[in-house]
Amino acid sequence: MTTDGFDPAALVDEVAVATQQVLDSAERLSPERLAGESLLPGWSRAHVLTHLARNADALGNLVHWAATGVRTPMYPSPEAREAGIAAGAQRPGEEIVADLRAASARLNEGLLSLSPTAWGAKLTGNDGREFSAETIPYKRIRELYVHHVDLAAGWTPAHWPGDFATRELFDVAASFRGRPDTVPLLLHDEDSGRRLTIGPEELAPVAMVAGRRRTLLAWLIGRTGGDGLVMDPPGALPPLPAWT
C-alpha cells in the first residue's frame, strides 16, 4: 500500500473482477443480441464491447506514459477513436470478446508493473486536464461498471458495488457543481443521509431530490429517467445536461 490509503493491488483486483463480469455477460450474447441496440444512442452492444477494448488500450497508453515518462496520449484523435470503434463493432462476436479479453489482460499487466514512483506521475487527458496515474484504475472501473449497464444484458445499476456507488455519486455530483447549465438542486442520499448540491453555487437549490444512492447516481449519469426518486417540493425531475 502507498501513502494516503491508496492500494494499487486492491484496485487492480477490482478492475479484474469488473472485467470478468462484463466478459461473462458478453459471452452469453447471441449474434443477434450482440448486433442489437445498447442503451447508448446509435451504438449496438458490439460497439460498447469494442469501446471497452479500445479504452483498455487507451489507458494502457497512459500506463506507458507513467512508467517511462514518454508522453503517450490515450487516442491519436477523437476521429481515430470513433473510427476504431465503428470498424471494430463489425467483427464476429467471438473476435470482439477475445479482443476485449486480450486488451484487458494487457492493461492489467501494465498496471501491476507500475512502481510507486510511476503511480504518482502526472498525466494529461485528451481534454487537457491533468491527473495522477493513481486515477487510472478508477477510470477503468468506471468504464466497466457504467458500460456494463449500457450493454443492456441484464446487469443494472442495482448491481453496482456499494463502494463504487458511494465514490461515484460524490465525484459525479462534484462534476455538476458550479455548472451554469445545471438546475441548482440539493441531492439527498437516503442510504447515508449525505446531502450534495449541484448547479451554480451562487444560487440556492430550487428543490431537493431524494433517493437511494445507486438510483441517484444512475439518474445523474443519464442511465435512468429517475424512477424511484422523490422531488421536494413535488414535481417532475428537471432535465440534466450531459454528464461528460
Side-chain angles (χ1 to χ4, degrees), residues 129 134-135 137-139 141-142 163-179 187 194 196-198 213 217 220-221 243-244:
R129 290 187 231 173
E134 289 184 351
T135 65
Y138 294 111
K139 292 178 184 296
I141 289 166
R142 173 185 285 174
D163 288 348
F164 167 77
T166 299
R167 184 174 68 232
E168 286 299 300
L169 179 60
F170 182 84
D171 287 350
V172 171
S175 75
F176 280 109
R177 198 170 302 127
R179 286 183 57 170
L187 308 179
R194 185 193 315 191
L196 304 166
T197 57
I198 63 173
R213 181 178 310 142
L217 175 59
L220 284 175
I221 66 174
W243 165 41
T244 57

Side-chain angles (χ1 to χ4, degrees), residues 151-217:
L151 203 57
W155 213 81
T156 71
H159 292 91
W160 286 333
D163 288 348
F164 167 77
T166 299
R167 184 174 68 232
E168 286 299 300
L169 179 60
F170 182 84
D171 287 350
V172 171
S175 75
F176 280 109
R177 198 170 302 127
R179 286 183 57 170
D181 57 353
T182 302
V183 176
L185 296 170
L186 180 65
L187 308 179
H188 176 59
D189 170 15
E190 294 178 343
D191 292 315
S192 67
R194 185 193 315 191
R195 294 187 174 186
L196 304 166
T197 57
I198 63 173
E201 296 181 83
E202 67 275 12
L203 299 178
V206 300
M208 181 173 72
V209 180
R212 304 294 296 272
R213 181 178 310 142
R214 294 173 178 84
T215 307
L216 280 169
L217 175 59

Side-chain angles (χ1 to χ4, degrees), residues 142-153:
R142 173 185 285 174
E143 290 286 324
L144 290 163
Y145 284 143
V146 172
H147 287 310
H148 198 170
V149 171
D150 293 334
L151 203 57

Side-chain angles (χ1 to χ4, degrees), residues 9-199:
L11 287 173
V12 176
D13 284 347
E14 186 176 356
V15 170
V17 169
T19 298
Q20 190 57 52
Q21 290 170 338
V22 172
L23 288 168
D24 289 344
S25 292
E27 288 170 347
R28 291 193 293 266
L29 293 173
S30 66
E32 293 75 22
R33 293 193 69 204
L34 189 67
E37 294 183 356
S38 73
L39 296 186
L40 294 175
W43 271 18
S44 67
R45 294 183 177 92
H47 283 86
V48 172
L49 293 174
T50 300
H51 164 63
L52 284 173
R54 298 291 69 77
N55 173 261
D57 287 338
L59 293 176
N61 287 339
L62 295 180
V63 170
H64 176 76
W65 183 349
T68 65
V70 177
R71 183 181 179 86
T72 314
M74 292 180 68
Y75 300 97
S77 68
E79 294 76 18
R81 172 185 176 276
E82 294 301 321
I85 294 170
Q90 307 309 312
R91 299 169 297 171
E94 314 85 67
E95 187 175 334
I96 291 174
V97 173
D99 178 27
L100 175 56
R101 188 183 301 280
S104 299
R106 289 192 296 271
L107 175 60
N108 184 78
E109 182 179 356
L111 290 170
L112 289 174
S113 72
L114 287 180
S115 68
T117 300
W119 281 114
K122 299 302 180 183
L123 313 172
T124 306
N126 284 355
D127 58 4
R129 290 187 231 173
E130 186 179 81
F131 53 87
S132 169
E134 289 184 351
T135 65
I136 296 174
Y138 294 111
K139 292 178 184 296
R140 183 58 176 173
I141 289 166
R142 173 185 285 174
E143 290 286 324
L144 290 163
Y145 284 143
V146 172
H147 287 310
H148 198 170
V149 171
D150 293 334
L151 203 57
W155 213 81
T156 71
H159 292 91
W160 286 333
D163 288 348
F164 167 77
T166 299
R167 184 174 68 232
E168 286 299 300
L169 179 60
F170 182 84
D171 287 350
V172 171
S175 75
F176 280 109
R177 198 170 302 127
R179 286 183 57 170
D181 57 353
T182 302
V183 176
L185 296 170
L186 180 65
L187 308 179
H188 176 59
D189 170 15
E190 294 178 343
D191 292 315
S192 67
R194 185 193 315 191
R195 294 187 174 186
L196 304 166
T197 57
I198 63 173

